[in-house]
Amino acid sequence: MHYQEFVPSPALADIVLRYWRFEVSAAITEPVPHTALPDGCVSLIVFRPNPLAPVMALWAGPRTTHFRQIMAPGSAFAGIRFVPGAARALFGLGMTGLKNAARPAQPELERYPLLAEIVQQLALVPLNSAVIDSLLESAGPGVPDELVQPLVQRILDRQGQVDIGELTRQASRSERQIQKRFKQATGLTMKELARSRRLRATVVQLLLADGDYFGTLEAAGYFDQAHFGHEFGDSAGTSMREFRNYVQRIQHTDVKA
């Protein structure tokens, strides 16, 4: 199995975090139960259920818990991990009912021919990130929520290590108004997004960068091993040891928190 991420053009920094592709070798004899941790983002996912099937496209909503999927031998998935709030601004994607869920992208493909072109590009092998960059750059920035997007960027920049109360005070609006607009734009509360981003950054550092275990937890702001273990178990639905064993079966290329 191979998972690879692709860095988008700097011009898309406010829209896209990463492009990605995940392949399951045809040499594997049995389906693979795949577990993905929450990342707080909306993803456009493109795949074929089997090599002869037509391309399918789904919106995978922002998650606060793991996503589990059975992957068939020879299957391949590709996607775009959007900056929280960007899919709504670009394509009018409604967040209602999308938290911890997924739905077909067909309504947006019909309204936005450019999005249909992007889906076709994501389905190609190899993935050409430069072509997708050009398509997204031609779409423009959309209409982001000017109150929400700076808060999102602060959470992303700090990898979830933020004081939510301080963020709301700096925004100079009522907490109720901020939280309502934040959830409308991203599908999550500020706390949920921050928690997901911190956990992802910590796990990437521990499993893919071979970070010192206790030093990584301390740097990430976890009180102790039990604190991290509790949050990981809630989000992953499994133990860190079991998840590590699965991750070690996957070749990872250019993965960032």
Side-chain angles (χ1 to χ4, degrees), residues 12 16 19 80 82 91 118 132-140:
L12 298 174
V16 177
Y19 309 125
I80 301 176
F82 286 98
F91 307 114
I118 291 170
I132 302 173
D133 281 344
S134 297
L135 290 170
L136 281 170
E137 286 169 10
S138 69

Side-chain angles (χ1 to χ4, degrees), residues 12 58 73 87 89 109 117 128 157 168 189 198 202 205 224 228 237:
L12 298 174
L58 297 175
L109 299 183
E117 289 186 57
N128 190 328
D157 290 345
T168 56
T189 66
R198 180 171 71 158
T202 304
Q205 181 67 22
D224 52 30
F228 171 70

Side-chain angles (χ1 to χ4, degrees), residues 19-255:
Y19 309 125
W20 56 266
R21 182 172 173 82
F22 181 67
E23 300 175 344
V24 180
S25 171
I28 294 178
T29 57
E30 295 184 358
V32 177
H34 173 71
T35 298
L37 295 183
D39 57 29
C41 302
V42 169
S43 285
L44 176 65
I45 300 179
V46 176
F47 64 99
R48 282 187 170 91
N50 62 69
L52 300 179
V55 172
M56 299 184 66
L58 297 175
W59 291 113
R63 304 191 68 84
T64 56
T65 187
H66 66 281
F67 172 75
R68 191 160 288 160
Q69 175 71 36
I70 301 299
M71 304 293 196
S75 60
F77 298 74
I80 301 176
R81 187 175 297 125
F82 286 98
V83 170
R88 180 174 183 259
L90 281 170
F91 307 114
L93 184 67
M95 293 293 106
T96 302
L98 202 53
K99 175 181 174 181
N100 292 327
R103 70 165 178 79
Q106 192 59 37
E108 290 74 29
L109 299 183
E110 293 171 356
R111 290 202 302 268
Y112 298 93
L114 179 66
L115 187 62
E117 289 186 57
I118 291 170
V119 165
Q120 293 303 317
Q121 287 295 324
L122 285 169
L124 297 179
V125 181
L127 189 150
N128 190 328
S129 60
V131 173
I132 302 173
D133 281 344
S134 297
L135 290 170
L136 281 170
E137 286 169 10
S138 69
V143 186
D145 188 311
E146 295 182 353
L147 173 63
V148 170
Q149 289 312 122
L151 300 175
V152 167
Q153 199 57 54
R154 184 70 180 277
I155 292 171
L156 295 179
D157 290 345
R158 297 292 304 276
Q159 296 185 330
Q161 295 187 61
V162 294
D163 183 325
I164 301 300
E166 181 62 26
L167 281 185
T168 56
R169 287 190 290 273
Q170 291 175 358
S172 302
R173 301 288 181 91
S174 72
E175 181 176 355
R176 182 177 179 180
Q177 182 184 17
I178 294 169
Q179 292 286 12
K180 179 180 179 180
R181 285 174 56 174
F182 195 94
K183 194 166 186 177
Q184 286 174 339
T186 71
L188 299 176
T189 66
M190 296 169 69
K191 183 177 180 179
E192 287 171 335
L193 177 60
R195 187 184 189 209
S196 294
R197 297 308 302 176
R198 180 171 71 158
L199 180 69
R200 174 180 167 80
T202 304
V203 172
V204 167
Q205 181 67 22
L206 287 175
L207 298 188
L208 303 183
D210 294 325
D212 172 70
Y213 187 80
F214 293 104
T216 297
L217 298 191
E218 182 179 4
Y222 290 103
F223 302 129
D224 52 30
Q225 185 176 1
H227 179 203
F228 171 70
H230 177 72
E231 286 208 6
F232 182 86
D234 281 351
S235 297
T238 186
S239 70
M240 187 65 175
R241 176 178 294 179
E242 291 175 342
F243 187 74
R244 183 192 297 272
N245 290 340
Y246 172 64
V247 166
Q248 289 175 343
R249 297 173 58 192
I250 304 171
Q251 177 189 351
H252 291 81
T253 304
D254 299 328
V255 178

